[in-house]
Amino acid sequence: MTMSKSTTTGARLAVDIGGTFTDFFLLTGDGKTHTRKELSTPSDYSLAVAEGVTAILAEAGLKPGAVTEFLHGTTIVTNTCIELTGAKVGLITTRGFRDVLEITRGRMPKLYDLNWARPVPLAPRQLRMEVDERVDREGRVTKGLDMAEVESVVNRLVAQGVESIAVCLYNSPHNPAHEQKIGEYLRQRHPGIFVSLSTRVMPLIKEYERTCEAVVNAYVMPVVAVYIKRLKKRLTDMGIRAPLLIMQSNGGMITADACVERPVEIVECGPAGGVVGGAY
């Protein structure tokens, strides 16, 4: 993360979590800088953040209320995907597209390697359900969504203990109405289940890429939601009222609330932060 020299009296604080260390960088209103490093606390990463923030503010002689901007980078999404420790994910898709995660684009990255195997989908086949709906390429509904069928497939997923449900319907970027109806149904009837709508995550044509994005997003949503909730509470309890901004994979920033809804946006925030910082 890069931080230009502050021209205000407030302090800007940046915290980056890695698997081993958590790094801190403080820029005070008069342009002075302070750095610190703490051991990360994998059982609750926010604990190391709180400890380091307390220490670096004390070193600078500042109170928590002096922080006007809190910037944050974390490998929590990256590690969850690598270690396969995310949520149990279900997928609801248009009839005929249940196996798009395994069909992919039909290409073999290693054409002559007989030992190569495709990665196991984060949403296994028994947790991928279809609904008989269709929207054409102009966004016109050619087959309406049957909410009784939606209720049936959702009940089957819930009975199997899913924690998150990704919804990716064919041609939904041209008309997201059916995805929105399913999302609203899930929020009303099953508020404890996380919902990842492809048109909210990656509203682009190309069903394989969009399905992947929606499923990965659903896979990490519970992990990120718990972490962000803990972190915000610790910062609030300390007296920090500054907005919490999270580094994205594109090198920009995203609000904490948006991060909880679209955590896939921060999957590569660590490497992105290094590139942006190096360029600066």
Side-chain angles (χ1 to χ4, degrees):
M1 290 172 285
T2 63
M3 304 176 70
S4 58
K5 187 172 182 177
S6 177
T7 58
T8 69
T9 57
R12 305 175 71 197
L13 180 58
V15 180
D16 184 78
I17 292 178
T20 305
F21 293 107
T22 298
D23 296 295
F24 302 81
F25 185 93
L26 176 67
L27 177 64
T28 62
D30 57 4
K32 294 180 180 178
T33 62
H34 300 264
T35 61
R36 187 174 182 84
K37 187 182 288 287
E38 297 276 352
L39 282 172
S40 296
T41 49
S43 60
D44 180 359
Y45 285 109
S46 68
L47 180 59
V49 174
E51 292 175 349
V53 168
T54 299
I56 200 169
L57 289 177
E59 177 186 311
L62 296 177
K63 294 184 180 300
V67 178
T68 56
E69 192 173 72
F70 193 101
L71 311 177
H72 187 38
T74 174
T75 58
I76 187 171
V77 174
T78 311
N79 293 342
T80 298
C81 293
I82 292 173
E83 297 167 3
L84 297 178
T85 55
K88 187 174 185 179
V89 177
L91 170 67
I92 298 176
T93 189
T94 302
R95 187 174 303 280
F97 291 86
R98 182 183 184 186
D99 296 318
V100 71
L101 289 177
E102 289 166 304
I103 295 172
T104 67
R105 285 289 172 194
R107 302 189 186 99
M108 291 281 287
K110 298 182 179 180
L111 187 59
Y112 300 110
D113 184 353
L114 300 181
N115 295 317
W116 182 82
R118 294 185 185 279
V120 177
L122 297 179
R125 196 171 196 273
Q126 70 271 17
L127 296 180
R128 303 198 297 261
M129 306 291 176
E130 299 176 331
V131 288
D132 193 11
E133 64 81 47
R134 183 55 67 98
V135 170
D136 69 14
R137 65 182 183 179
E138 303 299 327
R140 295 174 298 218
V141 176
T142 60
K143 188 171 183 59
L145 184 67
D146 183 350
M147 293 308 296
E149 183 181 29
V150 171
E151 181 178 10
S152 175
V153 300
V154 169
N155 287 342
R156 288 161 62 190
L157 290 173
V158 171
Q160 295 187 70
V162 298
E163 301 166 78
S164 294
I165 294 179
V167 183
C168 186
L169 304 180
Y170 189 61
N171 277 336
S172 59
H174 292 307
N175 183 350
H178 288 174
E179 280 196 6
Q180 291 171 352
K181 285 182 179 179
I182 295 175
E184 186 60 29
Y185 173 84
L186 286 166
R187 282 187 284 270
Q188 290 182 357
R189 298 293 295 273
H190 302 280
I193 290 179
F194 290 86
V195 180
S196 174
L197 303 183
S198 76
T199 46
R200 293 284 296 172
V201 178
M202 184 186 181
L204 300 175
I205 297 301
K206 291 190 175 181
E207 62 278 4
Y208 167 61
E209 288 81 357
R210 186 158 46 88
T211 303
C212 282
E213 197 91 351
V215 169
V216 171
N217 195 65
Y219 187 69
V220 298
M221 282 180 89
V223 176
V224 172
V226 169
Y227 170 68
I228 294 294
K229 181 179 179 180
R230 287 176 175 173
L231 179 59
K232 290 176 72 173
K233 185 178 187 307
R234 289 192 188 278
L235 295 178
T236 300
D237 290 346
M238 293 171 62
I240 293 179
R241 300 291 184 267
L244 174 59
L245 300 175
I246 315 295
M247 172 69 82
Q248 296 184 87
S249 301
N250 63 6
M253 309 302 292
I254 191 172
T255 66
D257 290 342
C259 179
V260 170
E261 183 182 4
R262 301 191 308 278
V264 71
E265 301 273 6
I266 69 168
V267 67
E268 289 290 348
C269 69
V275 171
V276 173
Y280 179 81

